[in-house]
Amino acid sequence: MRITKIHSVTDYGRIASGKRIRKAADDASGMAIVNKLKATANGTNVATNNIRDGIGVTKIADGAYNSIVDRLQRIRELAVRAMNGTNSTEDRQILQDEISQQMAGIDESAKNTVYNQMKLMDGSYATMEIASNPTGKGSEIKLESARLDAIGIAGFDVTSGRVNLDMIDDAIKKVSGDRSTLGAQANGLAARERVNQIAYENLTASQSRIEDLDMAKASSELKKNENLQAVRIAMFKKEREQEAAQSLPNIMLH
């Protein structure tokens, strides 16, 4: 009787690694599919991190917009007060001094709102590209300038008593509109982040189904093979013993 090798080092190696495919010889087409899935999954994961960076940009810009709108509202209050005929020239100058401070604060916010050393609201970036999918393409963040001239209030003055309140109202409308657009873009990025997370889970699950070993089945199969091997060895030993016993009388006769 010949003993055949039922299991090999490869079987143990697969169980130890937990992988059904460890090299191309195990399943060439399966490995090719796994590599494509892995590349897409890794790209999706990086794209998700890119999106989170983009969301960080929108949060910083939104905080600046909030401050700017508050300052514009205060300027409007002061402007309405300056329109009152009971104010003296000195009173209107005092009001203008605070308005000028608020305007300087707006311009400061526009010039110094930064993310990773990039100025977001001074007109440097009309559009920021966000690589939100694994191909490197994806979304955009539009970043409008919030400088005084861009929002239309450069040189606003109330000292004469003749106040153009529409300038402030238009600035509030513009900044509010820009902020609303930014919020919509942030919501779009958040939605894309959720899509990417689901895609990553599905891609890694597909990769696992192809590449990973069914541990329970493999362990059961290996145990079965080991038992068969043991039975064959026992049978082989028994056959040898019987052959030896049969040959013994012949040896004694000689």
Side-chain angles (χ1 to χ4, degrees):
M1 177 182 180
R2 182 183 178 188
I3 300 178
T4 57
K5 194 173 185 181
I6 297 176
H7 58 83
S8 66
V9 174
T10 300
D11 299 317
Y12 290 107
R14 286 177 176 172
I15 290 175
S17 67
K19 300 293 183 183
R20 184 182 71 85
I21 304 174
R22 296 187 300 159
K23 57 185 183 296
D26 295 333
D27 184 347
S29 61
M31 175 166 278
I33 294 170
V34 165
N35 286 335
K36 289 180 181 178
L37 290 170
K38 189 177 293 185
T40 305
N42 290 342
T44 301
N45 193 41
V46 172
T48 300
N49 291 333
N50 292 341
I51 289 170
R52 289 168 183 162
D53 290 341
I55 291 173
V57 168
T58 65
K59 287 181 178 178
I60 290 172
D62 185 70
Y65 276 132
N66 184 61
S67 172
I68 290 170
V69 170
D70 286 347
R71 288 183 181 279
L72 286 171
Q73 294 288 3
R74 178 57 180 165
I75 290 171
R76 193 181 192 285
E77 292 173 11
L78 296 168
V80 171
R81 188 182 300 177
M83 295 170 73
N84 194 13
T86 62
N87 290 304
S88 65
T89 301
E90 184 180 347
D91 292 335
R92 288 194 294 270
Q93 185 59 57
I94 292 171
L95 292 170
Q96 180 62 43
D97 289 344
E98 184 178 346
I99 287 172
S100 296
Q101 290 176 3
Q102 296 293 342
M103 290 169 62
I106 290 172
D107 216 38
E108 192 72 15
S109 292
K111 288 190 296 183
N112 294 327
T113 299
V114 299
Y115 181 89
N116 193 25
Q117 301 182 342
M118 295 181 293
K119 294 186 176 184
L120 303 179
M121 303 179 66
D122 70 343
S124 298
Y125 284 91
T127 302
M128 181 179 285
E129 302 286 342
I130 304 297
S132 59
N133 65 47
T135 66
K137 299 179 180 179
S139 309
E140 294 180 347
I141 301 174
K142 294 189 181 299
L143 298 166
E144 301 289 344
S145 173
R147 297 292 300 272
L148 296 178
D149 56 347
I151 64 176
I153 63 168
F156 182 74
D157 189 279
V158 299
T159 56
S160 68
R162 294 186 296 274
V163 179
N164 183 1
L165 205 59
D166 288 343
M167 288 178 66
I168 304 303
D169 288 339
D170 289 345
I172 291 172
K173 182 178 179 180
K174 182 183 187 314
V175 172
S176 297
D178 292 344
R179 188 181 185 187
S180 178
T181 299
L182 185 72
Q185 292 167 351
N187 289 337
L189 287 172
R192 182 68 202 185
E193 180 185 11
R194 290 190 291 272
V195 169
N196 278 6
Q197 287 173 333
I198 294 170
Y200 179 78
E201 291 171 4
N202 290 337
L203 286 164
T204 52
S206 297
Q207 178 185 329
S208 177
R209 281 193 295 271
I210 297 171
E211 183 181 35
D212 291 350
L213 188 67
D214 184 334
M215 295 297 290
K217 182 179 178 181
S219 297
S220 175
E221 189 69 21
L222 182 60
K223 188 64 179 177
K224 182 183 75 173
N225 289 340
E226 287 175 340
N227 290 337
L228 286 172
Q229 185 85 320
V231 169
R232 290 193 176 188
I233 290 172
M235 291 175 64
F236 178 77
K237 290 175 64 178
K238 187 174 182 180
E239 287 180 1
R240 286 298 180 88
E241 290 171 355
Q242 289 175 346
E243 290 174 358
Q246 290 173 359
S247 62
L248 185 59
N250 293 330
I251 294 172
M252 292 178 66
L253 288 173
H254 291 291

